[in-house]
Short mmCIF file of all heavy atoms in Angstrom, two decimals:
data_model
loop_
_atom_site.label_atom_id
_atom_site.label_comp_id
_atom_site.label_asym_id
_atom_site.label_seq_id
_atom_site.Cartn_x
_atom_site.Cartn_y
_atom_site.Cartn_z
N THR A 482 -58.57 10.11 -41.33
CA THR A 482 -57.60 10.38 -42.39
C THR A 482 -58.20 11.33 -43.42
O THR A 482 -57.53 12.24 -43.90
CB THR A 482 -57.16 9.06 -43.08
OG1 THR A 482 -56.91 8.09 -42.06
CG2 THR A 482 -55.92 9.26 -43.90
N LEU A 483 -59.46 11.08 -43.72
CA LEU A 483 -60.15 11.96 -44.67
C LEU A 483 -60.19 13.39 -44.17
O LEU A 483 -59.91 14.35 -44.88
CB LEU A 483 -61.58 11.47 -44.89
CG LEU A 483 -61.81 10.60 -46.13
CD1 LEU A 483 -63.24 10.07 -46.16
CD2 LEU A 483 -61.50 11.40 -47.39
N LEU A 484 -60.56 13.49 -42.88
CA LEU A 484 -60.70 14.82 -42.27
C LEU A 484 -59.37 15.55 -42.15
O LEU A 484 -59.26 16.72 -42.47
CB LEU A 484 -61.31 14.68 -40.87
CG LEU A 484 -62.84 14.63 -40.80
CD1 LEU A 484 -63.27 14.42 -39.35
CD2 LEU A 484 -63.42 15.94 -41.33
N PHE A 485 -58.37 14.83 -41.67
CA PHE A 485 -57.12 15.51 -41.33
C PHE A 485 -55.99 15.26 -42.32
O PHE A 485 -54.93 15.86 -42.21
CB PHE A 485 -56.66 15.07 -39.93
CG PHE A 485 -57.69 15.27 -38.86
CD1 PHE A 485 -58.31 14.19 -38.25
CD2 PHE A 485 -58.06 16.57 -38.49
CE1 PHE A 485 -59.26 14.38 -37.26
CE2 PHE A 485 -59.02 16.75 -37.51
CZ PHE A 485 -59.63 15.66 -36.89
N GLY A 486 -56.19 14.37 -43.22
CA GLY A 486 -55.13 14.09 -44.19
C GLY A 486 -54.05 13.21 -43.60
O GLY A 486 -54.01 12.95 -42.41
N ARG A 487 -53.16 12.76 -44.46
CA ARG A 487 -52.05 11.93 -44.00
C ARG A 487 -50.90 12.83 -43.55
O ARG A 487 -50.70 13.90 -44.10
CB ARG A 487 -51.51 11.06 -45.15
CG ARG A 487 -52.22 9.75 -45.30
CD ARG A 487 -51.74 9.02 -46.55
NE ARG A 487 -52.55 7.83 -46.75
CZ ARG A 487 -52.24 6.63 -46.20
NH1 ARG A 487 -51.13 6.49 -45.50
NH2 ARG A 487 -53.02 5.59 -46.39
N ASP A 488 -50.15 12.37 -42.57
CA ASP A 488 -48.98 13.16 -42.17
C ASP A 488 -47.85 12.92 -43.16
O ASP A 488 -47.59 11.79 -43.55
CB ASP A 488 -48.50 12.72 -40.78
CG ASP A 488 -49.46 13.20 -39.72
OD1 ASP A 488 -50.20 14.16 -40.00
OD2 ASP A 488 -49.47 12.61 -38.63
N LYS A 489 -47.20 14.02 -43.53
CA LYS A 489 -46.02 13.88 -44.40
C LYS A 489 -44.81 13.68 -43.52
O LYS A 489 -44.73 14.22 -42.42
CB LYS A 489 -45.83 15.15 -45.23
CG LYS A 489 -46.69 15.22 -46.45
CD LYS A 489 -45.84 15.75 -47.63
CE LYS A 489 -46.71 16.07 -48.83
NZ LYS A 489 -47.61 17.21 -48.54
N LYS A 490 -43.85 12.95 -44.04
CA LYS A 490 -42.64 12.79 -43.25
C LYS A 490 -41.83 14.07 -43.29
O LYS A 490 -41.81 14.79 -44.28
CB LYS A 490 -41.81 11.63 -43.80
CG LYS A 490 -42.33 10.30 -43.33
CD LYS A 490 -41.40 9.20 -43.72
CE LYS A 490 -42.06 7.86 -43.43
NZ LYS A 490 -41.29 6.76 -44.02
N VAL A 491 -41.18 14.33 -42.19
CA VAL A 491 -40.37 15.55 -42.09
C VAL A 491 -39.02 15.29 -42.73
O VAL A 491 -38.41 14.25 -42.50
CB VAL A 491 -40.18 15.93 -40.62
CG1 VAL A 491 -39.29 17.15 -40.50
CG2 VAL A 491 -41.52 16.17 -39.96
N ASP A 492 -38.58 16.22 -43.54
CA ASP A 492 -37.32 15.98 -44.23
C ASP A 492 -36.13 16.60 -43.52
O ASP A 492 -35.11 16.00 -43.30
CB ASP A 492 -37.42 16.52 -45.66
CG ASP A 492 -36.31 15.94 -46.52
OD1 ASP A 492 -35.99 14.75 -46.32
OD2 ASP A 492 -35.78 16.69 -47.34
N SER A 493 -36.29 17.86 -43.14
CA SER A 493 -35.20 18.46 -42.39
C SER A 493 -35.79 19.16 -41.19
O SER A 493 -36.94 19.59 -41.20
CB SER A 493 -34.44 19.46 -43.26
OG SER A 493 -35.26 20.58 -43.49
#
Side-chain angles (χ1 to χ4, degrees):
Chain A
T482 316
L483 263 175
L484 274 177
F485 305 111
R487 272 173 186 271
D488 287 339
K489 278 223 190 66
K490 280 188 189 170
V491 177
D492 196 37
S493 70

